[in-house]
Amino acid sequence: MRTRTCSRTRTPFAVALAAVLLAATACGEDSKPDPMRDKQWALDALKLPEAWDKAKGDDTVIAVVDTGIDLDHPDLKGRLVAGHDFVDGDDEPKDMNGHGTHVSGIAVAHTDNGTGIAGGAPGAKIMPVRVLGAGGSGDNADITKGIVWAADHGADVINLSLGESGLMARLLKGGTLNDAITHAHDKGAVVVAAAGNEGTALRPYKVGTPVLVVGASDRDGKPADFSNFGAQQAVSAPGVGILSTLPTYKTRETLKNDSGYGELDGTSMAAPYVSAVAALLHQQDRTPDQIMTAIRSTAKNPDKLAKLGLGIVDAKAATASAKE
């Protein structure tokens, strides 16, 4: 059975936007700490900058189990630890799709470096684990191996921006991914997973599996129309119009835009924001269970919208909360 990424390609407008932003940088706006920061509405929606006063994710490794990463991207280089490529069977997890690079930038892009964007956990590192090919799909065996490998090689947070729906969801309820996630939890890692983009109600994981499922919200704090919902104790985070890093070479996501930045929609984009918050909490010496409890208990859902789950994550409140 094959699994796909959980992102949605943006319209040509997004490509044009990235080109404009890149041009602005070249014309003198690179004096700003992060020239594209004002386009990152999600950081403020999650109150991440306010949380950085307490923690930035120092000494934390976020494994992105995905399509790999642009290993030489200027906003990611120096933020990486050793990873693995289960698609090609080597230790060079180069991203030939673009999805994994976008997810990684959301989580840990260099902050205050005069280039591009700001990452959600500016002190954390990325462990790139490639389990999906150039087309954005992969099989359960590689994904399972990737989760276990990341946990066994020191990942503190594991991000799964993967697609689970239909038959896949039914398989997952009793399948090997649940065991891999439990293994990662028992090794001390928090597993954060995208809810999927079919706009349907489903429970992709077996009840009791220690995974933090994330749906997508929009700029107005409402559920994104494409976001799946209904997973046990799920939370939400911004997943519409998310600007992040993209490969600086030609891939599926960069056929018309090799500027190194662009926008995507999806629960894939929401999940790494929550992984970033988890990294901040890890720096505060919290256990995986304490991290999940802090994120869930401080999420905000004032209008009690069922499709937001427990609510939109609040990084400031989570980092200020007591350990439980």
Side-chain angles (χ1 to χ4, degrees):
M1 195 65 195
R2 299 187 70 77
T3 299
R4 298 188 63 83
T5 59
C6 268
S7 65
R8 291 152 54 93
T9 302
R10 295 288 283 167
T11 64
F13 170 76
V15 176
L17 172 64
V20 169
L21 291 171
L22 189 68
T25 301
C27 291
E29 291 191 16
D30 55 350
S31 59
K32 296 180 180 179
D34 297 290
M36 302 180 186
R37 168 67 181 86
D38 60 351
K39 303 297 182 182
Q40 292 183 273
W41 67 273
L43 289 176
D44 300 309
L46 292 168
K47 300 182 182 178
L48 272 161
E50 297 167 72
W52 294 339
D53 291 337
K54 293 186 177 294
K56 293 186 176 180
D58 296 352
D59 300 318
T60 302
V61 174
I62 303 173
V64 175
V65 180
D66 211 290
T67 64
I69 196 169
D70 179 349
L71 299 166
D72 295 313
H73 196 290
D75 232 355
L76 296 171
K77 198 170 183 179
R79 306 306 304 276
L80 308 181
V81 300
H84 189 72
D85 187 333
F86 284 93
V87 178
D88 292 338
D90 57 37
D91 292 327
E92 188 177 358
K94 183 176 181 179
D95 187 2
M96 299 309 297
N97 174 275
H99 188 270
T101 299
H102 200 272
V103 169
S104 298
I106 291 169
V108 306
H110 280 295
T111 300
D112 294 336
N113 67 331
T115 299
I117 64 167
K125 299 281 190 179
I126 284 290
M127 175 189 289
V129 181
R130 186 178 182 229
V131 297
L132 306 177
S137 64
D139 60 46
N140 272 11
D142 282 346
I143 296 168
T144 299
K145 291 175 185 176
I147 295 169
V148 171
W149 188 93
D152 289 348
H153 286 77
D156 303 302
V157 181
I158 298 177
N159 188 91
L160 304 176
S161 289
L162 310 172
E164 300 105 14
S165 64
L167 177 60
M168 176 61 73
R170 292 192 291 275
L171 288 172
L172 285 171
K173 287 181 180 179
T176 57
L177 289 194
N178 292 282
D179 293 336
I181 290 168
T182 300
H183 172 80
H185 172 269
D186 293 345
K187 294 285 286 190
V190 178
V191 181
V192 179
N197 299 331
E198 291 75 30
T200 59
L202 55 87
R203 291 179 179 269
Y205 297 97
K206 187 166 54 179
V207 172
T209 299
V211 58
L212 187 57
V213 179
V214 184
S217 56
D218 63 20
R219 288 174 181 261
D220 298 321
K222 306 298 183 185
D225 59 1
F226 55 78
S227 181
N228 289 344
F229 55 94
Q232 184 184 31
Q233 292 190 290
V235 295
S236 294
V240 179
I242 303 302
L243 178 67
S244 186
T245 48
L246 285 172
T248 51
Y249 45 85
K250 294 297 183 184
T251 68
R252 177 172 176 163
E253 295 289 358
T254 60
L255 292 177
K256 298 181 180 179
N257 169 27
D258 59 1
S259 69
Y261 300 90
E263 290 184 3
L264 291 175
D265 296 337
T267 57
S268 276
M269 286 61 256
Y273 275 124
V274 178
S275 290
V277 177
L280 306 190
L281 295 168
H282 176 267
Q283 185 188 337
Q284 295 181 322
D285 295 322
R286 305 194 193 215
T287 67
D289 288 332
Q290 289 173 334
I291 290 170
M292 289 191 285
T293 294
I295 290 172
R296 286 167 171 158
S297 65
T298 57
K300 301 296 192 295
N301 191 357
D303 295 325
K304 307 300 181 185
L305 300 175
K307 291 185 178 181
L308 286 179
L310 296 175
I312 296 173
V313 169
D314 184 324
K316 180 183 179 182
T319 54
S321 65
K323 294 181 182 179
E324 296 179 14

